[in-house]
Amino acid sequence: MRRARMLLELDENAAENTSVPSHEAVATRAGVCTGSVVNVSKVYVERGGDVRASITRAKRTLPPVPAKTTGEVEARLIALACTKPPEGHSTWSLC
């Protein structure tokens, strides 16, 4: 929501008879650092003036860390955990 507010305040067409506020003034009003306003402005220009693309984050194509196991291994582990624990134990344990 802050990104949209920053872009609205930087809109030159909306400023009737007044000047567009500086990046510093917009940052103060939005409660962010000046660098954030500069970055939002830069993204807006890079994305061809598309507001929606500028204020939404891109979806990741991959998870941030690759999975250590496959779905098949995970399913086998869950199935094993749902069985009766070994003799002498009340629950399953990794120790």
Side-chain angles (χ1 to χ4, degrees):
M1 196 55 131
R2 286 184 177 164
R3 292 177 184 200
R5 182 176 177 189
M6 286 184 253
L7 288 174
L8 283 172
E9 291 204 28
L10 291 170
D11 186 6
E12 293 175 356
N13 295 325
E16 296 176 13
N17 300 325
T18 60
S19 62
V20 175
S22 65
H23 285 125
E24 293 81 11
V26 172
T28 302
R29 287 187 209 139
V32 297
C33 68
T34 306
S36 295
V37 177
V38 171
N39 289 340
V40 169
S41 301
K42 187 184 297 185
V43 168
Y44 177 75
V45 171
E46 288 171 354
R47 296 184 180 171
D50 185 352
V51 174
R52 186 172 303 272
S54 302
I55 63 174
T56 56
R57 294 181 183 240
K59 300 283 184 193
R60 285 185 184 259
T61 55
L62 297 173
V65 178
K68 293 184 179 186
T69 62
T70 64
E72 181 184 334
V73 171
E74 186 176 352
R76 288 177 50 205
L77 183 61
I78 291 170
L80 179 64
C82 291
T83 63
K84 185 176 176 185
E87 180 106 12
H89 297 277
S90 61
T91 60
W92 277 100
S93 172
L94 295 176
C95 298

